[in-house]
Amino acid sequence: MQGSNLDAIPTLSILTTLWDQPRWLEAYHLYDEHGSELFEAICDLPEYYLTRTENGILETHAKDIIAAAPVECIVELGAGYSKKTIHLLSEQVRQRGQSIFAPIDVSVAGLLASQAAAHKDFPQLDFHGIQARYEDGFSAIEKSLPTLFIFLGSTIGNFNQTEFPRFFRALAAAMGPNDYFLLGADRVKPVKLLEDAYNDSRGITAAFILNVFRNINRLLGSNFDLAKMRYHSWFNPEWQQIEMYAVAAASQQIRFPSAGAAMQWNQGEKILVEISRKFEANRLQEQLGFFGLTPVEHYSDPKQWFSVLLFRKQA
Ligand code: AVI
């Protein structure tokens, strides 16, 4: 396991983006322990088709994906060792034997759980967990080792227009010649399907989004009142993204004692907590070409709702 000190980063990020106009937050603040549990619950919701659709694609195509990417190491960006990852790991071990699995994640608890599970199920895998944000973790990857980088779940959709190119520049720079990249991306589809997936009837998505303020209160000693806010989401067709907001149901004066700062959050004012962009597969393939990634294969489901795209780094 390798680690880095992540403590100082969130405070600056939260304060800076809350002072922007419109106010917004970086998505990674959603994933404290409770937020991660709520996200797990979202993945099982009937309306949230993403996880089971991507899992179906990987279950069907893991054999072909691993055959197409002759590597010795799999680097997973984000939560490692999900059901979906296991399809790829078991094929890797079956086709190549002894291999390396290196998940990069900000959560030590998540990495330790992956390590224990991977050790039990796949003793042939050397586990190298890296505790870091993605871009920081890339520097720990040995470039000469043939590697498949995987980034599943359409987490790429949570990156905004600044984060998206920054991520791909860092990824492409970390990849050695002929390394591979597997990307899960949710596709544009009828609005009702999209909006229901992010506004479930049990209110779990609302709880997940508003929980970010409980996390911020804990981190910064602030006084966001969850009882005085509500969740609102919609699909913005021009930007092809679901936008998830917290709306002040009553005006609140928010204090950040550790920073000696205060913010007036007026009734009706929104804070953009998360976006979830939806993609057109061909356009995404062309876009990643600008970062030196060549499309190798496009895997999808029978309804064409989700894409799993395999790329190769140009030598
Ligand atoms: C993690 N990420 C891909 C999820 C998504 O679908 O954008 C996060 C999420 N937010 C609300 N529901 C799910």
Side-chain angles (χ1 to χ4, degrees):
M1 287 272 189
Q2 294 188 17
S4 56
N5 181 8
L6 301 164
D7 293 349
I9 306 165
T11 306
L12 187 60
S13 147
I14 291 163
L15 291 172
T16 312
T17 60
L18 281 179
W19 259 253
D20 267 348
Q21 181 58 34
R23 304 185 197 277
W24 65 288
L25 290 167
E26 285 192 282
Y28 75 92
H29 303 300
L30 288 159
Y31 296 91
D32 64 348
E33 206 182 325
H34 188 49
S36 300
E37 285 164 10
L38 288 168
F39 180 62
E40 289 297 310
I42 287 174
C43 292
D44 291 333
L45 287 169
E47 295 97 331
Y48 195 74
Y49 58 83
L50 285 81
T51 312
R52 60 176 180 277
T53 308
E54 186 184 47
N55 185 57
I57 299 170
L58 291 172
E59 191 171 15
T60 309
H61 296 290
K63 193 170 159 202
D64 309 333
I65 293 168
I66 295 299
V71 298
E72 293 167 33
C73 172
I74 294 182
V75 171
E76 177 159 26
L77 311 174
Y81 214 75
S82 61
K83 214 162 109 190
K84 299 177 289 190
T85 317
I86 295 173
H87 299 308
L88 297 169
L89 294 180
S90 65
E91 267 308 315
Q92 173 69 12
V93 165
R94 200 182 65 79
Q95 294 186 28
R96 313 241 155 74
Q98 189 86 34
S99 300
I100 295 172
F101 175 48
I104 302 178
D105 203 309
V106 285
S107 151
V108 184
L111 287 172
L112 288 171
S114 312
Q115 184 180 33
H119 189 69
K120 185 167 136 289
D121 294 350
F122 300 108
Q124 309 92 316
L125 282 182
D126 289 336
F127 186 97
H128 292 270
I130 301 166
Q131 191 224 353
R133 294 187 68 189
Y134 307 129
E135 288 95 328
D136 303 329
F138 290 151
S139 59
I141 309 297
E142 175 55 58
K143 255 195 181 158
S144 60
L145 196 69
T147 298
L148 168 66
F149 291 79
I150 63 179
F151 195 35
L152 301 176
S154 203
T155 302
I156 191 62
N158 301 128
F159 291 178
N160 64 26
Q161 269 76 0
T162 311
E163 294 160 336
F164 182 95
R166 191 177 68 202
F167 172 81
F168 281 107
R169 262 200 307 273
L171 173 69
M175 289 173 80
N178 302 324
D179 277 356
Y180 291 81
F181 176 54
L182 190 69
L183 178 67
D186 194 21
R187 293 165 72 159
V188 178
K189 58 181 67 59
V191 173
K192 167 99 174 97
L193 287 165
L194 289 170
E195 290 193 338
D196 285 355
Y198 293 87
N199 195 8
D200 63 278
S201 52
R202 294 178 212 172
I204 297 184
T205 310
F208 170 69
I209 293 297
L210 299 187
N211 176 65
V212 79
F213 296 98
R214 201 173 283 128
N215 189 24
I216 291 174
N217 284 346
R218 195 170 47 75
L219 286 169
L220 273 68
S222 52
N223 60 330
F224 280 103
D225 184 347
L226 274 75
K228 291 190 191 151
M229 57 178 86
R230 65 180 174 84
Y231 173 63
H232 168 70
S233 64
W234 78 301
F235 180 66
N236 179 333
E238 192 184 349
W239 289 62
Q240 294 194 329
Q241 63 187 19
I242 292 281
E243 297 175 0
M244 289 162 268
Y245 293 95
V247 187
S251 294
Q252 303 187 37
Q253 160 85 249
I254 314 295
R255 290 180 301 279
F256 301 90
S258 56
M263 163 190 129
Q264 181 63 28
W265 190 21
N266 291 323
Q267 184 176 11
E269 195 186 348
K270 295 183 290 188
I271 297 176
L272 179 59
V273 177
E274 194 182 34
I275 57 164
S276 191
R277 296 173 61 200
K278 306 300 159 191
F279 300 92
E280 286 164 22
N282 296 347
R283 202 158 147 181
L284 189 55
Q285 284 177 322
E286 282 179 37
Q287 216 172 10
L288 296 206
F290 301 130
F291 297 92
L293 296 168
T294 308
V296 175
E297 197 55 76
H298 176 191
Y299 308 94
S300 191
D301 54 290
K303 291 180 181 150
Q304 310 276 296
W305 280 3
F306 199 95
S307 291
V308 172
L309 303 166
L310 183 64
F311 297 87
R312 181 181 184 150
K313 176 82 190 291
Q314 283 150 21

